[in-house]
Amino acid sequence: QWIVMDVYFSSRRRHTRCSGVSWARRCVQETGIQAGLATRGKVVFSTSFGAFLTRAFDQVRMSGIGKIPLKICGSHAGSSINRDGPSQMGLEDIAIFSAIPDSVVFYPSDAVSMENAVVLAANSKELVYILSLIHI
C-alpha cells in the first residue's frame, strides 16, 4: 500500500490563494510527515515542484543520513516550462539530491520510464528522487 502526498493539488483544493512561500513551507512540513511515516514502514511518495523541494533539503539530507527511505517526485525540470515562469524551474534539485549518500535519482524520459521509475522507487530501500518534466 502506497501513500501519496501532494503539496500542489492539496493546496489548490483547500485554498483559493497560494503563494510560492506557502508551498515551500508545505514541502518542509510534508517531508517531516513523510519521514515519520516511512520510519513506520509505510511507502510514502511526496510530490511538488522541484524548485520548492530544495527548501526541504535539510530534512531530506538528515533522512538520508538516517537511512529513511523517502520517495520524492519533483516536477517542472529544466528551463522551458511555459507560463509557470523562472521561479518554478527545478534546476538545482538533481545536484542536491545526488549529493545525499546512498540516494537514487531517476529522470525518466517518457510515461513508460516514469511508471518503471515509480515501481523501482516503491520497492527500493534507499531514498529516491524522481524528476519529471511536468507535474505528475
Side-chain angles (χ1 to χ4, degrees):
Q1 181 182 9
W2 301 353
I3 300 170
V4 178
M5 302 172 67
D6 188 290
V7 171
Y8 178 73
F9 286 113
S10 63
S11 63
R12 285 259 160 109
R13 288 187 198 123
R14 294 187 188 125
H15 306 287
T16 56
R17 294 184 186 180
C18 295
S19 68
V21 175
S22 64
W23 280 353
R25 269 192 229 126
R26 287 188 187 119
C27 285
V28 173
Q29 293 168 348
E30 181 181 271
T31 303
I33 293 167
Q34 180 187 18
L37 291 168
T39 58
R40 304 303 255 164
K42 305 290 184 192
V43 177
V44 185
F45 283 85
S46 67
T47 158
S48 186
F49 287 39
F52 299 151
L53 290 167
T54 59
R55 301 200 182 137
F57 179 67
D58 184 49
Q59 289 183 332
V60 173
R61 185 178 73 84
M62 293 308 295
S63 295
I65 291 170
K67 306 289 186 200
I68 299 171
L70 300 182
K71 316 301 180 198
I72 302 170
C73 301
S75 69
H76 289 73
S79 58
S80 179
I81 58 171
N82 298 328
R83 64 180 175 213
D84 289 318
S87 67
Q88 317 298 312
M89 294 176 193
L91 300 172
E92 308 87 357
D93 50 342
I94 289 180
I96 288 173
F97 284 94
S98 296
I100 300 169
D102 301 320
S103 67
V104 177
V105 176
F106 293 119
Y107 191 8
S109 59
D110 57 21
V112 174
S113 299
M114 175 60 86
E115 182 179 357
N116 290 331
V118 170
V119 171
L120 287 170
N123 294 316
S124 175
K125 300 296 181 197
E126 289 86 23
L127 186 149
V128 178
Y129 181 63
I130 303 172
L131 180 60
S132 69
L133 294 174
I134 58 170
H135 197 75
I136 52 175

